[in-house]
């Protein structure tokens, strides 16, 4: 797994609109994520198929999504509140940055 600097994985600013989430990192880079893609990549146990389910069962039929809010979880992650009332996913900053940089980033903690 690639090692990223603390500045590369610390957000300076987090914004969202109807279609995307934008993070400006402390190292000056900007990452833009499509909301639908992020929702379908939710790292929570239900969306990942835990408790006897299958991966994609809860997210596979989602055609559009909006973000109602983004809460910070300490200094390491965000907790989105989605328009489908789903709000159990915690997206780590490390995984988001790796995803944006094409280094993997499966959004698990």
């Amino acid at each position: 797994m690639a090692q990223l600097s603390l500045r590369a994985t610390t957000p300076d600013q987090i914004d969202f609109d109807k279609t995307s989430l934008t993070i400006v990192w402390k190292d000056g880079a900007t990452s833009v994520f499509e909301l639908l893609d992020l929702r379908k990549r939710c790292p929570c146990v239900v969306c990942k198929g835990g408790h006897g389910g299958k991966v994609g069962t809860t997210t596979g039929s989602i055609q559009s999504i909006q973000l109602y809010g983004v809460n910070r979880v300490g200094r390491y992650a965000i907790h989105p509140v989605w328009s489908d009332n789903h709000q159990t996913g915690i997206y780590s900053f490390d995984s988001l940055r790796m995803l944006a940089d094409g280094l993997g980033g499966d959004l698990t903690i």
Side-chain angles (χ1 to χ4, degrees), residues 44-93:
C44 84
V45 70
V46 172
C47 293
K48 286 293 187 188
H51 303 302
K54 289 184 177 180
V55 175
T57 300
T58 58
T59 61
S61 64
I62 300 171
Q63 299 298 313
S64 66
I65 198 78
Q66 291 207 2
L67 195 54
Y68 287 159
V70 177
N71 303 307
R72 284 189 183 231
V73 179
R75 294 183 181 186
Y76 72 94
I78 57 171
H79 170 255
V81 179
W82 298 103
S83 61
D84 65 351
N85 296 317
H86 186 72
Q87 53 185 324
T88 57
I90 297 175
Y91 297 67
S92 75
F93 294 136

Side-chain angles (χ1 to χ4, degrees), residues 24-56:
V24 178
W25 304 98
K26 291 268 186 197
D27 69 354
T30 299
S31 301
V32 179
F33 304 93
E34 290 184 33
L35 295 182
L36 185 58
D37 182 52
L38 280 184
R39 175 62 185 94
K40 289 188 176 210
R41 290 175 178 266
C42 179
C44 84
V45 70
V46 172
C47 293
K48 286 293 187 188
H51 303 302
K54 289 184 177 180
V55 175

